[in-house]
Coordinates of all heavy atoms in Angstrom, one line a residue:
M1312 N -9.6 13.7 -8.3 CA -10.2 12.6 -7.6 C -10.1 11.4 -8.6 O -10.6 11.4 -9.7 CB -11.6 12.9 -7.4 CG -12.3 12.0 -6.6 SD -13.5 12.8 -5.5 CE -15.0 12.3 -6.3
S1313 N -9.5 10.4 -8.1 CA -9.2 9.2 -8.9 C -10.4 8.2 -8.9 O -11.0 7.9 -7.9 CB -8.0 8.5 -8.4 OG -7.7 7.4 -9.3
I1314 N -10.7 7.6 -10.1 CA -11.7 6.6 -10.2 C -11.2 5.3 -9.7 O -11.9 4.5 -9.0 CB -12.1 6.5 -11.7 CG1 -12.7 7.8 -12.2 CG2 -13.1 5.4 -11.9 CD1 -14.0 8.2 -11.6
L1315 N -9.9 5.0 -10.0 CA -9.3 3.7 -9.6 C -9.0 3.7 -8.1 O -8.3 4.6 -7.6 CB -8.0 3.4 -10.4 CG -8.2 3.4 -11.9 CD1 -6.8 3.3 -12.5 CD2 -9.1 2.3 -12.3
I1316 N -9.4 2.7 -7.3 CA -9.1 2.6 -5.9 C -7.8 1.8 -5.8 O -6.8 2.2 -5.2 CB -10.2 2.0 -5.1 CG1 -11.4 2.8 -5.3 CG2 -9.8 1.7 -3.7 CD1 -12.7 2.3 -4.6
K1317 N -7.8 0.5 -6.3 CA -6.6 -0.3 -6.3 C -6.7 -1.4 -7.2 O -7.8 -1.8 -7.6 CB -6.3 -0.8 -4.8 CG -7.4 -1.8 -4.3 CD -7.0 -2.2 -2.9 CE -8.1 -3.3 -2.5 NZ -7.7 -3.8 -1.2
P1318 N -5.6 -2.1 -7.7 CA -5.6 -3.2 -8.5 C -5.9 -4.4 -7.6 O -5.6 -4.5 -6.4 CB -4.3 -3.3 -9.1 CG -3.4 -2.5 -8.2 CD -4.2 -1.5 -7.5
V1319 N -6.6 -5.4 -8.3 CA -6.8 -6.7 -7.6 C -5.7 -7.7 -8.0 O -5.5 -7.9 -9.1 CB -8.3 -7.2 -8.0 CG1 -8.5 -8.6 -7.4 CG2 -9.3 -6.3 -7.6
I1320 N -5.1 -8.2 -7.0 CA -4.0 -9.2 -7.2 C -4.3 -10.4 -6.4 O -4.0 -10.6 -5.3 CB -2.7 -8.5 -6.7 CG1 -2.4 -7.2 -7.4 CG2 -1.5 -9.5 -7.0 CD1 -1.2 -6.5 -6.9
T1321 N -5.1 -11.3 -7.1 CA -5.5 -12.6 -6.6 C -4.9 -13.6 -7.6 O -4.4 -13.2 -8.7 CB -6.9 -12.8 -6.4 OG1 -7.5 -12.5 -7.7 CG2 -7.4 -11.7 -5.4
E1322 N -5.1 -14.9 -7.3 CA -4.6 -15.9 -8.2 C -5.4 -15.9 -9.5 O -4.8 -16.0 -10.6 CB -4.8 -17.3 -7.6 CG -3.8 -17.6 -6.5 CD -3.9 -19.0 -6.0 OE1 -4.5 -19.9 -6.6 OE2 -3.5 -19.2 -4.8
K1323 N -6.7 -15.7 -9.4 CA -7.5 -15.7 -10.6 C -7.3 -14.4 -11.5 O -7.2 -14.5 -12.7 CB -9.0 -15.7 -10.2 CG -9.9 -15.8 -11.4 CD -11.3 -15.9 -10.9 CE -12.4 -16.1 -12.1 NZ -13.7 -16.2 -11.6
A1324 N -7.1 -13.3 -10.9 CA -6.8 -12.0 -11.5 C -5.4 -12.1 -12.2 O -5.2 -11.6 -13.3 CB -6.9 -10.8 -10.6
T1325 N -4.4 -12.7 -11.5 CA -3.1 -12.8 -12.1 C -3.1 -13.8 -13.3 O -2.4 -13.5 -14.3 CB -2.1 -13.3 -11.1 OG1 -2.2 -12.4 -9.9 CG2 -0.7 -13.4 -11.6
K1326 N -3.9 -14.8 -13.2 CA -3.9 -15.8 -14.3 C -4.6 -15.2 -15.6 O -4.1 -15.3 -16.6 CB -4.8 -17.0 -13.9 CG -4.8 -18.1 -14.9 CD -5.6 -19.3 -14.4 CE -5.7 -20.4 -15.5 NZ -6.5 -21.5 -15.0
T1327 N -5.7 -14.4 -15.4 CA -6.3 -13.7 -16.5 C -5.4 -12.6 -17.1 O -5.5 -12.5 -18.3 CB -7.7 -13.1 -16.2 OG1 -7.5 -12.2 -15.1 CG2 -8.6 -14.2 -15.8
S1328 N -4.6 -12.0 -16.3 CA -3.7 -11.0 -16.8 C -2.6 -11.6 -17.6 O -2.1 -11.0 -18.6 CB -3.1 -10.1 -15.7 OG -2.3 -11.0 -14.8
E1329 N -2.1 -12.8 -17.3 CA -1.1 -13.5 -18.0 C -1.6 -14.1 -19.3 O -1.0 -14.0 -20.3 CB -0.4 -14.6 -17.1 CG 0.4 -14.0 -16.0 CD 0.9 -15.2 -15.1 OE1 0.4 -16.3 -15.2 OE2 1.6 -14.8 -14.1
E1330 N -2.8 -14.7 -19.2 CA -3.3 -15.4 -20.4 C -4.1 -14.5 -21.4 O -3.9 -14.6 -22.6 CB -4.3 -16.5 -19.9 CG -3.6 -17.7 -19.2 CD -4.6 -18.7 -18.7 OE1 -5.7 -18.5 -18.8 OE2 -4.1 -19.7 -18.2
N1331 N -4.9 -13.6 -20.9 CA -5.8 -12.8 -21.7 C -5.4 -11.3 -21.8 O -6.2 -10.5 -22.4 CB -7.2 -12.9 -21.3 CG -7.7 -14.3 -21.3 OD1 -7.2 -15.2 -22.1 ND2 -8.5 -14.7 -20.4
N1332 N -4.3 -10.9 -21.1 CA -4.0 -9.5 -21.0 C -5.1 -8.6 -20.5 O -5.5 -7.5 -20.9 CB -3.5 -9.0 -22.4 CG -2.5 -7.8 -22.3 OD1 -2.0 -7.6 -21.2 ND2 -2.4 -7.1 -23.3
C1333 N -5.8 -9.1 -19.4 CA -6.9 -8.5 -18.8 C -6.7 -8.2 -17.3 O -6.4 -9.2 -16.5 CB -8.2 -9.4 -19.0 SG -9.7 -8.7 -18.4
F1334 N -6.7 -7.0 -16.9 CA -6.3 -6.6 -15.6 C -7.6 -6.2 -14.8 O -8.5 -5.6 -15.3 CB -5.3 -5.5 -15.6 CG -4.0 -5.9 -16.2 CD1 -3.8 -5.8 -17.5 CD2 -3.0 -6.4 -15.4 CE1 -2.6 -6.2 -18.1 CE2 -1.8 -6.8 -15.9 CZ -1.6 -6.7 -17.3
T1335 N -7.6 -6.4 -13.5 CA -8.8 -6.2 -12.6 C -8.4 -5.1 -11.7 O -7.4 -5.1 -11.1 CB -9.2 -7.4 -11.9 OG1 -9.4 -8.5 -12.8 CG2 -10.5 -7.2 -11.1
F1336 N -9.4 -4.1 -11.5 CA -9.2 -3.0 -10.6 C -10.5 -2.8 -9.7 O -11.6 -3.1 -10.2 CB -9.0 -1.7 -11.4 CG -7.8 -1.6 -12.1 CD1 -7.7 -2.0 -13.4 CD2 -6.6 -1.2 -11.5 CE1 -6.6 -2.0 -14.1 CE2 -5.4 -1.2 -12.2 CZ -5.4 -1.5 -13.5
L1337 N -10.3 -2.4 -8.4 CA -11.4 -1.9 -7.7 C -11.6 -0.4 -8.1 O -10.7 0.3 -8.1 CB -11.2 -2.0 -6.2 CG -11.2 -3.4 -5.6 CD1 -11.0 -3.3 -4.1 CD2 -12.5 -4.1 -5.9
V1338 N -12.9 0.0 -8.4 CA -13.2 1.3 -8.7 C -14.3 1.8 -7.9 O -15.0 1.1 -7.2 CB -13.6 1.4 -10.3 CG1 -12.4 0.9 -11.1 CG2 -14.8 0.5 -10.5
K1339 N -14.5 3.2 -8.0 CA -15.6 3.8 -7.2 C -16.9 3.3 -7.8 O -17.1 2.9 -8.9 CB -15.5 5.3 -7.4 CG -14.3 5.8 -6.7 CD -14.4 7.3 -6.5 CE -13.1 7.7 -5.7 NZ -13.3 9.0 -5.2
K1340 N -17.9 3.2 -6.8 CA -19.2 2.7 -7.2 C -20.0 3.4 -8.3 O -20.8 2.9 -9.0 CB -20.1 2.6 -6.0 CG -19.7 1.6 -5.0 CD -20.6 1.6 -3.8 CE -20.1 0.7 -2.7 NZ -21.0 0.7 -1.5
N1341 N -19.7 4.7 -8.4 CA -20.5 5.5 -9.4 C -19.8 5.7 -10.7 O -20.2 6.5 -11.6 CB -20.8 6.9 -8.8 CG -19.6 7.7 -8.4 OD1 -18.5 7.1 -8.4 ND2 -19.8 8.9 -7.9
A1342 N -18.6 5.0 -10.9 CA -17.8 5.1 -12.1 C -18.4 4.3 -13.2 O -18.9 3.2 -13.0 CB -16.4 4.6 -11.9
N1343 N -18.4 4.8 -14.5 CA -18.9 4.1 -15.6 C -17.7 3.6 -16.4 O -16.5 3.9 -16.1 CB -19.8 5.0 -16.4 CG -19.2 6.2 -17.0 OD1 -18.0 6.3 -17.1 ND2 -20.1 7.2 -17.3
K1344 N -18.0 2.9 -17.5 CA -17.0 2.3 -18.3 C -16.0 3.3 -19.0 O -14.8 3.1 -19.1 CB -17.6 1.3 -19.3 CG -18.2 0.1 -18.7 CD -18.8 -0.8 -19.8 CE -19.5 -2.0 -19.2 NZ -20.0 -2.9 -20.1
V1345 N -16.6 4.4 -19.5 CA -15.8 5.4 -20.1 C -14.8 6.0 -19.2 O -13.7 6.3 -19.5 CB -16.7 6.4 -20.8 CG1 -15.9 7.5 -21.5 CG2 -17.6 5.8 -21.8
E1346 N -15.3 6.4 -18.0 CA -14.3 7.0 -16.9 C -13.3 6.0 -16.5 O -12.1 6.4 -16.3 CB -15.2 7.3 -15.7 CG -16.1 8.5 -16.0 CD -17.1 8.7 -14.8 OE1 -17.2 7.9 -13.9 OE2 -17.6 9.8 -14.8
V1347 N -13.6 4.7 -16.4 CA -12.6 3.7 -16.1 C -11.5 3.6 -17.2 O -10.3 3.6 -16.9 CB -13.2 2.3 -15.8 CG1 -12.2 1.3 -15.6 CG2 -14.1 2.4 -14.5
K1348 N -12.0 3.6 -18.4 CA -11.1 3.5 -19.5 C -10.1 4.7 -19.5 O -8.9 4.5 -19.7 CB -11.8 3.5 -20.8 CG -10.9 3.4 -22.1 CD -11.8 3.3 -23.3 CE -10.9 3.3 -24.6 NZ -11.7 3.1 -25.8
K1349 N -10.6 5.9 -19.4 CA -9.7 7.1 -19.4 C -8.8 7.1 -18.2 O -7.7 7.5 -18.3 CB -10.6 8.3 -19.3 CG -11.3 8.6 -20.6 CD -12.2 9.8 -20.5 CE -13.0 10.1 -21.8 NZ -13.9 11.2 -21.7
A1350 N -9.2 6.6 -17.0 CA -8.4 6.6 -15.8 C -7.3 5.6 -16.0 O -6.1 5.9 -15.6 CB -9.2 6.2 -14.6
V1351 N -7.5 4.4 -16.6 CA -6.5 3.4 -16.7 C -5.5 3.9 -17.8 O -4.2 3.8 -17.6 CB -7.0 2.1 -17.1 CG1 -5.9 1.0 -17.5 CG2 -7.8 1.5 -15.9
E1352 N -5.9 4.4 -18.8 CA -5.0 5.0 -19.9 C -4.2 6.1 -19.4 O -3.0 6.2 -19.7 CB -5.8 5.5 -21.1 CG -6.4 4.2 -21.9 CD -7.3 4.7 -23.1 OE1 -7.7 5.9 -23.2 OE2 -7.6 3.8 -23.9
A1353 N -4.7 7.0 -18.5 CA -4.0 8.1 -18.0 C -3.0 7.6 -16.9 O -1.8 8.1 -16.9 CB -4.9 9.2 -17.4
A1354 N -3.3 6.7 -16.1 CA -2.5 6.2 -15.0 C -1.3 5.4 -15.5 O -0.2 5.4 -15.0 CB -3.3 5.5 -14.0
Y1355 N -1.5 4.5 -16.4 CA -0.6 3.5 -16.8 C 0.0 3.7 -18.2 O 0.9 3.0 -18.6 CB -1.1 2.1 -16.7 CG -1.5 1.7 -15.2 CD1 -2.8 1.8 -14.8 CD2 -0.5 1.4 -14.4 CE1 -3.1 1.5 -13.5 CE2 -0.7 1.2 -13.1 CZ -2.1 1.1 -12.6 OH -2.4 0.8 -11.3
G1356 N -0.5 4.6 -19.0 CA 0.0 4.9 -20.4 C -0.2 3.7 -21.4 O 0.7 3.4 -22.1
V1357 N -1.3 3.0 -21.2 CA -1.6 1.9 -22.1 C -2.9 2.2 -22.9 O -3.6 3.2 -22.6 CB -1.8 0.6 -21.4 CG1 -0.5 0.2 -20.7 CG2 -2.9 0.7 -20.3
S1358 N -3.3 1.4 -23.9 CA -4.5 1.6 -24.7 C -5.4 0.5 -24.3 O -5.0 -0.7 -24.3 CB -4.3 1.6 -26.1 OG -3.7 0.5 -26.6
V1359 N -6.6 0.8 -24.0 CA -7.6 -0.1 -23.5 C -8.6 -0.4 -24.6 O -9.1 0.4 -25.3 CB -8.5 0.5 -22.3 CG1 -9.6 -0.4 -21.8 CG2 -7.5 0.8 -21.1
E1360 N -8.9 -1.8 -24.8 CA -9.8 -2.2 -25.8 C -11.2 -2.4 -25.3 O -12.1 -2.0 -25.9 CB -9.3 -3.6 -26.4 CG -8.2 -3.5 -27.3 CD -7.8 -4.8 -28.0 OE1 -8.4 -5.8 -27.6 OE2 -7.0 -4.7 -28.9
K1361 N -11.3 -3.1 -24.1 CA -12.6 -3.4 -23.6 C -12.6 -3.2 -22.1 O -11.7 -3.5 -21.4 CB -12.9 -4.9 -23.9 CG -14.3 -5.3 -23.6 CD -14.6 -6.8 -23.7 CE -14.3 -7.3 -25.1 NZ -14.6 -8.7 -25.2
V1362 N -13.8 -2.7 -21.5 CA -13.9 -2.7 -20.1 C -15.2 -3.4 -19.7 O -16.3 -3.2 -20.3 CB -14.0 -1.1 -19.6 CG1 -14.3 -1.0 -18.1 CG2 -12.8 -0.4 -20.0
R1363 N -15.1 -4.3 -18.7 CA -16.3 -4.9 -18.1 C -16.4 -4.6 -16.7 O -15.3 -4.6 -16.0 CB -16.2 -6.4 -18.3 CG -16.2 -6.8 -19.8 CD -16.1 -8.3 -19.9 NE -14.8 -8.8 -19.2 CZ -13.9 -9.5 -19.8 NH1 -14.0 -9.8 -21.1 NH2 -12.8 -9.9 -19.1
T1364 N -17.6 -4.2 -16.1 CA -17.7 -3.9 -14.7 C -18.7 -4.9 -14.1 O -19.6 -5.4 -14.8 CB -18.2 -2.5 -14.6 OG1 -19.5 -2.4 -15.3 CG2 -17.3 -1.4 -15.1
I1365 N -18.6 -5.0 -12.7 CA -19.5 -5.8 -11.9 C -19.6 -5.2 -10.6 O -18.7 -4.7 -10.0 CB -19.0 -7.3 -11.9 CG1 -19.9 -8.1 -11.1 CG2 -17.6 -7.3 -11.2 CD1 -19.6 -9.6 -11.0
N1366 N -20.9 -5.1 -10.1 CA -21.1 -4.7 -8.7 C -21.3 -5.9 -7.9 O -22.1 -6.8 -8.1 CB -22.5 -3.9 -8.7 CG -22.4 -2.6 -9.3 OD1 -21.5 -1.8 -9.1 ND2 -23.4 -2.2 -10.2
V1367 N -20.3 -6.0 -6.9 CA -20.3 -7.1 -6.0 C -21.2 -6.8 -4.8 O -21.0 -5.7 -4.2 CB -18.9 -7.4 -5.5 CG1 -18.9 -8.5 -4.5 CG2 -18.0 -7.7 -6.7
R1368 N -22.2 -7.7 -4.5 CA -23.2 -7.3 -3.5 C -22.7 -7.6 -2.1 O -21.6 -8.2 -1.9 CB -24.4 -8.2 -3.8 CG -24.2 -9.6 -3.7 CD -25.5 -10.4 -4.0 NE -25.2 -11.8 -4.0 CZ -25.2 -12.6 -2.9 NH1 -25.5 -12.1 -1.7 NH2 -25.0 -13.9 -3.0
V1369 N -23.4 -7.2 -1.2 CA -23.1 -7.3 0.3 C -23.4 -8.8 0.6 O -24.4 -9.4 0.2 CB -24.0 -6.3 1.1 CG1 -23.8 -6.6 2.6 CG2 -23.8 -4.9 0.8
E1370 N -22.4 -9.3 1.5 CA -22.6 -10.7 1.9 C -22.9 -10.6 3.4 O -22.2 -9.9 4.2 CB -21.3 -11.5 1.8 CG -21.1 -11.8 0.3 CD -19.9 -12.7 0.1 OE1 -19.4 -13.3 1.0 OE2 -19.5 -12.9 -1.1
R1371 N -24.0 -11.3 3.8 CA -24.4 -11.3 5.3 C -24.2 -12.7 5.8 O -24.4 -13.7 5.1 CB -25.9 -10.9 5.4 CG -26.1 -9.4 5.0 CD -27.6 -9.1 5.1 NE -27.8 -7.6 5.0 CZ -28.0 -7.0 3.8 NH1 -27.9 -7.8 2.7 NH2 -28.2 -5.8 3.8
S1372 N -23.8 -12.7 7.1 CA -23.6 -14.0 7.8 C -24.2 -13.9 9.2 O -24.1 -12.8 9.8 CB -22.1 -14.4 7.8 OG -21.4 -13.5 8.6
N1373 N -24.6 -15.0 9.7 CA -25.1 -15.1 11.0 C -24.3 -16.2 11.8 O -24.1 -17.2 11.2 CB -26.6 -15.5 11.1 CG -27.4 -14.4 10.4 OD1 -27.2 -13.2 10.6 ND2 -28.5 -14.8 9.7
R1374 N -24.1 -15.9 13.1 CA -23.4 -17.0 13.9 C -24.2 -17.1 15.2 O -24.6 -16.0 15.8 CB -22.0 -16.5 14.2 CG -21.0 -16.7 13.1 CD -19.6 -16.4 13.4 NE -19.5 -15.0 13.6 CZ -18.6 -14.3 14.3 NH1 -17.7 -14.9 14.9 NH2 -18.6 -13.0 14.4
Y1375 N -24.4 -18.3 15.6 CA -25.0 -18.6 16.9 C -24.0 -18.9 18.0 O -23.3 -19.8 17.8 CB -26.0 -19.7 16.7 CG -27.1 -19.5 15.6 CD1 -26.9 -19.9 14.4 CD2 -28.2 -18.6 15.9 CE1 -27.9 -19.6 13.4 CE2 -29.2 -18.3 14.9 CZ -28.9 -18.8 13.7 OH -29.9 -18.6 12.7
T1376 N -24.0 -18.0 19.0 CA -23.0 -18.2 20.1 C -23.8 -18.4 21.4 O -25.0 -18.2 21.5 CB -22.0 -17.0 20.1 OG1 -22.8 -15.9 20.4 CG2 -21.3 -16.9 18.8
K1377 N -23.0 -18.5 22.5 CA -23.6 -18.7 23.8 C -24.3 -17.4 24.2 O -25.4 -17.3 24.8 CB -22.6 -19.0 24.9 CG -22.1 -20.4 24.8 CD -21.3 -20.8 26.0 CE -20.0 -20.1 26.1 NZ -19.2 -20.5 27.2
S1378 N -23.8 -16.2 23.8 CA -24.3 -15.0 24.1 C -25.4 -14.5 23.2 O -26.1 -13.5 23.4 CB -23.3 -13.8 24.1 OG -22.7 -13.7 22.9
G1379 N -25.7 -15.3 22.2 CA -26.9 -14.9 21.2 C -26.4 -15.0 19.8 O -25.3 -15.4 19.5
M1380 N -27.3 -14.4 18.9 CA -27.0 -14.5 17.5 C -26.2 -13.2 17.1 O -26.5 -12.1 17.5 CB -28.3 -14.5 16.7 CG -28.1 -14.8 15.2 SD -29.6 -15.1 14.4 CE -30.1 -13.5 14.0
I1381 N -25.1 -13.4 16.4 CA -24.3 -12.3 15.9 C -24.4 -12.2 14.4 O -24.2 -13.2 13.7 CB -22.8 -12.5 16.4 CG1 -22.6 -12.6 17.9 CG2 -21.9 -11.4 15.8 CD1 -21.3 -13.0 18.3
T1382 N -24.7 -11.0 13.9 CA -24.8 -10.8 12.5 C -23.7 -9.9 12.0 O -23.2 -9.1 12.7 CB -26.1 -10.1 12.1 OG1 -26.2 -8.9 12.8 CG2 -27.3 -11.0 12.6
A1383 N -23.2 -10.2 10.8 CA -22.1 -9.5 10.2 C -22.3 -9.3 8.7 O -23.1 -10.0 8.1 CB -20.8 -10.2 10.5
K1384 N -21.8 -8.3 8.1 CA -21.9 -8.1 6.7 C -20.6 -7.5 6.1 O -20.0 -6.7 6.8 CB -23.1 -7.3 6.3 CG -23.1 -5.8 6.6 CD -24.3 -5.2 6.1 CE -24.2 -3.7 6.2 NZ -25.3 -2.9 5.7
T1385 N -20.3 -7.8 4.9 CA -19.2 -7.2 4.1 C -19.7 -6.1 3.3 O -20.9 -6.0 3.0 CB -18.5 -8.2 3.3 OG1 -19.4 -8.7 2.3 CG2 -18.0 -9.4 4.0
G1386 N -18.8 -5.1 3.0 CA -19.2 -4.0 2.2 C -19.3 -4.3 0.7 O -18.6 -5.2 0.2
A1387 N -20.2 -3.6 0.0 CA -20.3 -3.8 -1.4 C -19.3 -3.0 -2.1 O -18.8 -1.9 -1.6 CB -21.7 -3.3 -1.9
Y1388 N -18.8 -3.4 -3.3 CA -17.8 -2.7 -4.0 C -18.0 -3.0 -5.6 O -18.8 -3.8 -5.9 CB -16.4 -3.1 -3.7 CG -16.1 -4.5 -3.7 CD1 -15.4 -5.1 -4.8 CD2 -16.3 -5.4 -2.6 CE1 -15.1 -6.4 -4.9 CE2 -16.1 -6.7 -2.7 CZ -15.4 -7.2 -3.8 OH -15.2 -8.6 -3.9
K1389 N -17.3 -2.3 -6.3 CA -17.4 -2.4 -7.8 C -16.1 -2.8 -8.4 O -15.0 -2.2 -8.0 CB -17.9 -1.1 -8.4 CG -18.2 -1.2 -9.9 CD -18.8 0.0 -10.4 CE -19.4 -0.1 -11.8 NZ -20.2 1.1 -12.1
K1390 N -16.0 -3.8 -9.3 CA -14.8 -4.2 -10.0 C -14.9 -3.9 -11.5 O -15.9 -3.9 -12.0 CB -14.6 -5.8 -9.9 CG -14.2 -6.2 -8.5 CD -13.6 -7.7 -8.6 CE -14.7 -8.7 -9.1 NZ -14.2 -10.1 -8.8
A1391 N -13.7 -3.7 -12.0 CA -13.7 -3.4 -13.4 C -12.5 -4.3 -14.0 O -11.4 -4.3 -13.6 CB -13.4 -1.9 -13.8
M1392 N -12.9 -5.1 -15.0 CA -11.9 -5.9 -15.8 C -11.6 -5.2 -17.0 O -12.5 -4.9 -17.8 CB -12.4 -7.3 -16.0 CG -12.5 -8.3 -14.8 SD -13.7 -7.9 -13.6 CE -15.2 -8.4 -14.4
V1393 N -10.3 -4.8 -17.2 CA -9.9 -4.0 -18.3 C -9.0 -4.9 -19.3 O -8.0 -5.4 -18.8 CB -9.1 -2.8 -17.8 CG1 -8.5 -1.9 -18.9 CG2 -9.9 -2.0 -16.9
Q1394 N -9.4 -5.0 -20.5 CA -8.7 -5.7 -21.5 C -7.8 -4.7 -22.3 O -8.3 -3.7 -22.9 CB -9.6 -6.5 -22.5 CG -8.9 -7.2 -23.6 CD -9.2 -8.6 -23.6 OE1 -10.2 -9.0 -23.1 NE2 -8.3 -9.4 -24.2
L1395 N -6.5 -5.0 -22.3 CA -5.5 -4.1 -23.0 C -5.3 -4.5 -24.4 O -5.6 -5.6 -24.8 CB -4.2 -4.1 -22.2 CG -4.3 -3.6 -20.8 CD1 -2.8 -3.6 -20.2 CD2 -4.9 -2.3 -20.7
A1396 N -4.8 -3.6 -25.2 CA -4.5 -3.9 -26.6 C -3.2 -4.8 -26.6 O -2.5 -4.9 -25.6 CB -4.1 -2.6 -27.3
E1397 N -3.2 -5.4 -27.7 CA -2.0 -6.4 -27.9 C -0.7 -5.7 -27.7 O -0.4 -4.7 -28.4 CB -2.1 -7.1 -29.3 CG -1.2 -8.3 -29.5 CD -1.7 -9.5 -28.7 OE1 -2.8 -9.7 -28.4 OE2 -0.7 -10.2 -28.3
G1398 N 0.2 -6.2 -26.9 CA 1.5 -5.6 -26.7 C 1.6 -4.7 -25.6 O 2.7 -4.5 -25.1
D1399 N 0.5 -4.3 -25.0 CA 0.5 -3.4 -23.8 C 0.5 -4.3 -22.5 O -0.2 -5.3 -22.5 CB -0.6 -2.4 -23.8 CG -0.5 -1.4 -24.8 OD1 0.6 -1.1 -25.2 OD2 -1.5 -0.7 -25.1
V1400 N 1.2 -3.9 -21.5 CA 1.3 -4.6 -20.3 C 1.4 -3.6 -19.1 O 2.0 -2.6 -19.2 CB 2.6 -5.6 -20.2 CG1 2.7 -6.2 -18.9 CG2 2.5 -6.5 -21.4
I1401 N 0.7 -4.0 -18.0 CA 0.8 -3.2 -16.8 C 1.7 -4.0 -15.8 O 1.4 -5.2 -15.6 CB -0.6 -2.9 -16.2 CG1 -1.3 -2.0 -17.2 CG2 -0.4 -2.2 -14.9 CD1 -2.8 -1.8 -16.7
D1402 N 2.7 -3.4 -15.3 CA 3.5 -4.1 -14.3 C 3.3 -3.5 -12.9 O 3.7 -2.4 -12.6 CB 5.0 -4.0 -14.7 CG 5.9 -4.9 -13.8 OD1 5.4 -5.8 -13.1 OD2 7.1 -4.7 -13.9
F1403 N 2.6 -4.2 -12.0 CA 2.3 -3.7 -10.7 C 3.5 -3.8 -9.8 O 3.5 -3.1 -8.8 CB 1.1 -4.5 -10.2 CG -0.2 -4.4 -10.9 CD1 -0.9 -5.4 -11.3 CD2 -0.7 -3.0 -11.1 CE1 -2.1 -5.3 -12.0 CE2 -1.9 -2.9 -11.7 CZ -2.6 -4.0 -12.2
Y1404 N 4.4 -4.7 -10.1 CA 5.5 -5.0 -9.2 C 6.8 -4.1 -9.5 O 7.8 -4.4 -9.0 CB 5.9 -6.4 -9.2 CG 4.7 -7.3 -8.8 CD1 4.1 -8.0 -9.8 CD2 4.2 -7.4 -7.5 CE1 3.0 -8.8 -9.5 CE2 3.1 -8.1 -7.2 CZ 2.5 -8.9 -8.2 OH 1.4 -9.7 -7.9
A1405 N 6.7 -3.2 -10.4 CA 7.9 -2.4 -10.9 C 8.4 -1.5 -9.8 O 9.6 -1.2 -9.7 CB 7.6 -1.6 -12.2
N1406 N 7.5 -1.0 -8.9 CA 7.9 0.0 -7.9 C 8.4 -0.6 -6.6 O 8.7 0.1 -5.7 CB 6.8 0.9 -7.6 CG 6.4 1.8 -8.9 OD1 7.2 2.0 -9.7 ND2 5.1 2.2 -9.0
M1407 N 8.4 -1.9 -6.5 CA 8.8 -2.6 -5.2 C 10.3 -2.6 -5.1 O 11.1 -2.6 -6.0 CB 8.3 -4.0 -5.2 CG 6.8 -3.9 -5.1 SD 6.2 -5.7 -5.0 CE 5.3 -5.5 -3.5

């Protein structure tokens, strides 16, 4: 059972990976920093220096329409920012 769900590939995540060698992943909600570090090292064969995690909260929105008020919400998830050692790189586009 894998801790890593998928890598985050956005403009901000790509910029931090190029400048700071820091990659972002979506991880399971109950994963801790030690488990994330072991999962990234096993999956990509790199050495991890630092792991930072963040729980992204649920966002709720309301819309007023002719038929009444409609409510919606997004799901909560957990992100992990992984800083690699100097010289290590993860290439997400190698398998394309």
Side-chain angles (χ1 to χ4, degrees):
M1312 189 148 109
S1313 179
I1314 299 293
L1315 302 175
I1316 297 173
K1317 65 179 183 178
V1319 176
I1320 302 174
T1321 59
E1322 288 183 22
K1323 186 174 183 179
T1325 305
K1326 184 178 178 182
T1327 58
S1328 67
E1329 291 172 354
E1330 292 177 356
N1331 302 328
N1332 206 18
C1333 183
F1334 295 88
T1335 307
F1336 295 93
L1337 288 182
V1338 296
K1339 294 197 175 194
K1340 290 182 186 177
N1341 58 356
N1343 60 24
K1344 293 181 180 185
V1345 176
E1346 292 173 340
V1347 171
K1348 179 179 179 178
K1349 289 179 182 176
V1351 170
E1352 287 177 347
Y1355 296 103
V1357 294
S1358 58
V1359 176
E1360 285 186 353
K1361 188 191 299 185
V1362 177
R1363 295 178 304 233
T1364 59
I1365 182 172
N1366 287 313
V1367 180
R1368 64 182 174 85
V1369 175
E1370 292 184 9
R1371 292 180 172 84
S1372 64
N1373 296 322
R1374 286 183 288 161
Y1375 300 98
T1376 62
K1377 285 195 288 184
S1378 60
M1380 189 168 88
I1381 298 173
T1382 61
K1384 72 175 186 175
T1385 61
Y1388 57 93
K1389 188 172 192 174
K1390 285 194 303 188
M1392 284 71 75
V1393 177
Q1394 177 123 21
L1395 301 181
E1397 191 69 32
D1399 287 341
V1400 176
I1401 297 175
D1402 189 13
F1403 295 127
Y1404 303 107
N1406 295 335
M1407 295 182 121

